[in-house]
Amino acid sequence: MKKTFLIIVLLATGIFSVQRTMAQSKKKTAAEWKKTLTPNQYEIMVERGTETPYKNAYWDNHEKGVYVSAATGEVLFSSDDKYDSHTGWPSFVKAVDPSKIAIVQDNSFGMTRDEVVEKSTGLHLGHVFDDGPADRGGKRYCMNSGALKFIKK
């Protein structure tokens, strides 16, 4: 009985260790991201920049499809959850899979906001606010087009 328990614990620990190592392997240095991202993507995702409203690729996109991470290709948002927030940035009521993003506190520019990052990489995507459509959950995921790529259905 003790041997069986010990084997299970060792296996579980080993599996956890492998999963953690795999997650950490997705983390790249800024120099590595600079080689794989465009200058605009790098500015937004690594340096946590914000693109100009109404002058970005997806703020007025009404086609059906999904929005994936420009860095990893992970599906993050769907056109089914996109709406016109009148802010000039693509806005969504929710992520396709909430486990693919993380919300972290952003204290830049003298204010406190909830920053949305891609969970596997920690790269900046945008911010989330509580002023979205009340009938759809009340959230506004205000994303930077430069952090996303659109895949048409």
Side-chain angles (χ1 to χ4, degrees):
M1 178 80 160
K2 287 183 180 179
K3 278 186 178 179
T4 304
F5 178 75
L6 181 59
I7 290 171
I8 290 170
V9 168
L10 289 173
L11 284 172
T13 304
I15 289 169
F16 176 74
S17 177
V18 168
Q19 287 175 338
R20 187 169 16 140
T21 302
M22 287 172 62
Q24 288 172 342
S25 72
K26 290 184 180 179
K27 304 268 184 186
K28 294 181 180 181
T29 66
E32 290 171 318
W33 283 121
K34 199 164 206 160
K35 291 178 186 174
T36 59
L37 298 172
T38 68
N40 185 52
Q41 292 166 342
Y42 183 86
E43 165 65 26
I44 290 167
M45 299 182 85
V46 177
E47 295 184 355
R48 293 175 153 53
T50 300
E51 62 200 4
T52 306
Y54 301 103
K55 295 185 182 196
N56 57 73
Y58 305 129
W59 77 272
D60 198 28
N61 181 24
H62 300 286
E63 295 184 277
K64 293 290 183 187
V66 293
Y67 295 83
V68 303
S69 164
T72 66
E74 288 282 346
V75 175
L76 300 175
F77 298 96
S78 168
S79 61
D80 293 338
D81 298 312
K82 187 174 184 289
Y83 73 101
D84 185 0
S85 63
H86 305 286
T87 62
W89 289 284
S91 297
F92 305 87
V93 295
K94 65 179 182 175
V96 170
D97 180 352
S99 72
K100 301 283 184 195
I101 61 169
I103 309 300
V104 297
Q105 192 172 32
D106 174 5
N107 294 311
S108 63
F109 304 109
M111 62 182 115
T112 300
R113 297 176 291 171
D114 291 328
E115 179 184 8
V116 181
V117 299
E118 187 173 6
K119 196 170 198 174
S120 68
T121 62
L123 294 175
H124 176 75
L125 301 169
H127 292 87
V128 63
F129 302 97
D130 290 325
D131 59 0
D135 63 334
R136 297 187 67 195
K139 297 291 183 189
R140 172 174 54 100
Y141 288 83
C142 186
M143 301 294 100
N144 287 286
S145 292
L148 306 170
K149 289 182 182 177
F150 179 71
I151 301 174
K152 190 176 176 177
K153 278 188 182 176

